[in-house]
Amino acid sequence: MTKHMVVDAAPRPTAAARVLAVLGAFGPQHRRLSLSEIARRAGLTLPTAHRLVRELVKWRGLERDENGLYSVGLRLLELAALSPRWLQLREAAFPYIDDLHETTRGNVQLGVRDGLEVIYVEALRAREQNAVNSRVGGRWPMHATGTGLVLLAHAEADLQAKVLQPPLRRYTPLTVTDPVEVRRHLAHIRQTGVAVARGQITPHDLVVAVPVLDPAGEVTAALSVVVETERARPRELAKLLTEASRSVSARLARTPISLPVPRRAPG
Amino acid sequence: MTKHMVVDAAPRPTAAARVLAVLGAFGPQHRRLSLSEIARRAGLTLPTAHRLVRELVKWRGLERDENGLYSVGLRLLELAALSPRWLQLREAAFPYIDDLHETTRGNVQLGVRDGLEVIYVEALRAREQNAVNSRVGGRWPMHATGTGLVLLAHAEADLQAKVLQPPLRRYTPLTVTDPVEVRRHLAHIRQTGVAVARGQITPHDLVVAVPVLDPAGEVTAALSVVVETERARPRELAKLLTEASRSVSARLARTPISLPVPRRAPG
């Protein structure tokens, strides 16, 4: 640990931070990157990037294609599948999500909070053309998504304050970006148990979302359906979603999310 | 890069390798680990493990639960979703997988090769009790899975030789572990376009699997259905799978797997 004895003028990223920066260079708009793009986006010198990329390829965390471009490798899917908040939640919810997908012919999403945002742990896209582009692993702001509004409505006050700190991102003319107005909406969601929002991310769509409870009765996820506003019947969607959510919650209660691994003692 | 000037007696893991070792400490049987378990499994001292775990938690690659145990965090799902071989393939295939799942009432898997093994990029479990436990992100040996046999049948000779190097793991009395016999099976798969195997991983199940072609006509994935041998109608399953696979291949040809990101020039 000699480097801890060296006092740098500028804070120097740790070795771990450099590896994570290489992975963090990839994003929805940057799925395939050249080595020099990785170096630039990660803020690393080319030799350092080269060395780290080589190690990550060996580990199968990155893959190199025939054009010499790198993309995220399947080792990361294998790892992600170990997350209790992803696969076990998804497996409990899938049959109900699948039914909702078929019944509503809309996009169906299951979202959980990660930091100040929502991540979709499942997303089934409507089969129609031009369906909203929601994807598993997608990260979205809470104020603009149905699942996010439900999770935010049931979050602690200081989290709400952080999330609602202006400016809130605007996606369409309908996106609610006034924190006071969002808070009014959150109160209404707590009162009714359902979030309904129009055109927050795509102008012509409507989302209905409901909470999913863990065995302790806490809101652990949110389930939503997105359909075109024109054909949306929010009350019916709310009813279907509430039934589905109760079934998922009941199933979570039967098969705790930490299964099949037995609980271990702390330490 | 001073550490490169130090000549150690024993090869010392690089800083990157230590970060990856922390992530690699987690596995299907080790989804929740204490700090000392992480240190032990990663072969690190407790202070080093502590420092790396702290960085990974900050980065949301690990999460700490109320019992002080760590698990894989959703940042890894977000990253995994950037893999062209996962989400884009899955999205092209999902409607057909979903239909197969409903029609066959079996487990449906979509697998791709990763190194010498298969990884499931989608897996829908049959709704019945005691369905085979196949999961997204699951990694399996090629000789024992339907998808693996299909991928192996169409792989290059040196890859086949590596995979078929004895001993091959036995899961049930029916698992074929004799490389010569596996090779005979591979030839038959190439001839018929379909893999049928009984009881390779679970004794009472039968798998039927077919290749999925990329736009260049190369085998890029394999699609399989697992049902109880007792009620299996392999010929009918083969027909359904072949139709589904053709549809997926056609869809991949229409929306190349690198979409929605435009191809970039190499370098």
Side-chain angles (χ1 to χ4, degrees):
Chain A
M1 302 296 100
T2 52
K3 73 171 185 290
H4 284 176
M5 296 179 227
V6 179
V7 178
D8 284 329
R12 184 164 161 266
T14 62
R18 288 195 294 267
V19 180
L20 302 180
V22 168
L23 293 174
F26 293 84
Q29 306 308 319
H30 301 94
R31 287 170 192 262
R32 292 175 193 272
L33 298 174
S34 68
L35 185 61
S36 56
E37 286 170 316
I38 292 172
R40 187 173 50 73
R41 289 178 54 80
L44 299 171
T45 64
L46 207 54
T48 299
H50 183 66
R51 185 170 51 78
L52 295 175
V53 162
R54 207 175 43 205
E55 290 205 59
L56 281 162
V57 167
K58 199 174 123 205
W59 188 70
R60 311 200 70 76
L62 292 181
E63 293 177 3
R64 189 169 183 275
D65 72 13
E66 67 274 17
N67 298 319
L69 298 182
Y70 295 92
S71 59
V72 168
L74 291 176
R75 179 78 177 102
L76 290 169
L77 173 60
E78 191 184 2
L79 269 177
L82 302 174
S83 161
R85 289 214 294 156
W86 177 37
L87 209 52
Q88 290 169 273
L89 183 56
R90 184 237 183 183
E91 299 229 326
F94 187 82
Y96 307 102
I97 291 176
D98 200 23
D99 284 348
L100 279 173
H101 183 236
E102 193 174 322
T103 313
T104 65
R105 303 183 159 277
N107 277 39
V108 186
Q109 288 84 216
L110 180 68
V112 299
R113 184 173 69 77
D114 194 55
L116 302 182
E117 290 145 330
V118 172
I119 285 195
Y120 290 152
V121 292
E122 185 53 280
L124 295 187
R125 214 184 295 195
R127 291 198 183 189
E128 66 198 29
Q129 292 291 322
N130 304 321
V132 174
N133 185 10
S134 61
R135 290 169 179 273
V136 177
R139 184 185 287 272
W140 293 92
M142 298 181 87
H143 73 279
T145 50
T147 48
L149 286 166
V150 165
L151 293 167
L152 194 58
H154 297 278
E156 286 166 18
D158 64 336
L159 186 95
Q160 291 182 345
K162 276 183 200 156
V163 169
L164 295 179
Q165 201 151 347
L168 298 182
R169 178 161 172 198
R170 171 178 295 288
Y171 292 87
T172 78
L174 292 175
T175 311
V176 178
T177 57
D178 173 4
V180 176
E181 204 177 328
V182 176
R183 282 184 185 280
R184 250 196 316 263
H185 195 178
L186 298 182
H188 189 250
I189 292 165
R190 279 190 299 273
Q191 224 159 34
T192 60
V194 181
V196 180
R198 279 204 307 132
Q200 298 298 298
I201 290 182
T202 45
H204 302 296
D205 293 294
L206 177 142
V207 63
V208 182
V210 300
V212 174
L213 307 183
D214 69 13
E218 299 292 322
V219 174
T220 188
L223 191 59
S224 71
V225 171
V226 172
V227 292
E228 286 170 27
T229 304
E230 206 170 52
R231 70 174 180 91
R233 298 164 67 176
R235 225 175 271 186
E236 193 181 314
L237 289 174
K239 190 161 162 280
L240 288 169
L241 276 162
T242 304
E243 280 165 17
S245 151
R246 280 196 192 129
S247 302
V248 176
S249 299
R251 195 155 157 173
L252 286 176
R254 283 200 305 277
T255 56
I257 210 165
S258 64
L259 280 179
V261 178
R263 284 239 174 242
R264 291 155 192 281
Chain B
M1 302 299 103
T2 52
K3 72 169 181 295
H4 285 175
M5 296 179 228
V6 179
V7 179
D8 283 330
R12 183 165 161 268
T14 63
R18 288 195 294 267
V19 180
L20 302 180
V22 168
L23 292 174
F26 294 85
Q29 307 308 320
H30 301 94
R31 289 170 190 262
R32 294 175 191 272
L33 297 174
S34 67
L35 184 60
S36 56
E37 286 170 317
I38 292 172
R40 186 174 49 76
R41 289 176 56 81
L44 300 171
T45 63
L46 208 56
T48 299
H50 183 66
R51 184 171 52 77
L52 295 175
V53 162
R54 209 175 41 206
E55 289 204 58
L56 281 163
V57 166
K58 200 174 125 204
W59 187 69
R60 313 201 68 77
L62 293 182
E63 295 178 0
R64 189 170 183 275
D65 73 12
E66 66 275 15
N67 299 318
L69 298 182
Y70 295 92
S71 59
V72 167
L74 291 174
R75 179 81 176 100
L76 290 170
L77 173 60
E78 189 183 3
L79 269 176
L82 303 174
S83 161
R85 291 214 294 154
W86 178 37
L87 211 52
Q88 289 168 272
L89 182 56
R90 185 238 183 183
E91 298 230 328
F94 188 81
Y96 308 101
I97 291 175
D98 200 23
D99 285 348
L100 279 173
H101 182 236
E102 194 173 324
T103 312
T104 65
R105 302 185 158 278
N107 276 41
V108 187
Q109 290 83 217
L110 180 68
V112 300
R113 184 173 68 78
D114 194 55
L116 301 181
E117 289 145 330
V118 172
I119 286 194
Y120 291 152
V121 293
E122 185 54 279
L124 297 186
R125 213 184 296 194
R127 293 199 182 189
E128 65 198 30
Q129 292 292 318
N130 304 321
V132 175
N133 185 11
S134 61
R135 290 168 180 275
V136 177
R139 184 185 286 273
W140 293 92
M142 298 181 88
H143 74 279
T145 51
T147 49
L149 286 167
V150 165
L151 293 166
L152 194 58
H154 297 278
E156 287 164 18
D158 63 336
L159 186 92
Q160 291 182 346
K162 274 183 202 158
V163 169
L164 295 179
Q165 201 151 351
L168 299 181
R169 181 165 170 192
R170 172 178 295 287
Y171 291 87
T172 77
L174 292 175
T175 310
V176 178
T177 56
D178 171 6
V180 176
E181 204 179 327
V182 176
R183 282 184 186 282
R184 251 197 314 265
H185 194 179
L186 297 182
H188 189 251
I189 293 166
R190 279 191 299 274
Q191 225 160 33
T192 59
V194 181
V196 180
R198 280 203 307 132
Q200 297 298 299
I201 290 183
T202 45
H204 303 296
D205 293 293
L206 178 143
V207 64
V208 182
V210 300
V212 174
L213 306 183
D214 69 14
E218 299 292 324
V219 174
T220 187
L223 191 58
S224 70
V225 171
V226 173
V227 293
E228 286 171 27
T229 304
E230 205 171 52
R231 69 174 180 89
R233 298 163 68 175
R235 227 176 270 185
E236 194 182 311
L237 289 174
K239 191 161 162 278
L240 288 169
L241 276 163
T242 305
E243 280 166 17
S245 152
R246 281 197 191 128
S247 302
V248 176
S249 298
R251 193 153 160 178
L252 286 176
R254 285 200 304 277
T255 54
I257 210 164
S258 63
L259 282 177
V261 177
R263 283 240 175 239
R264 293 153 191 281

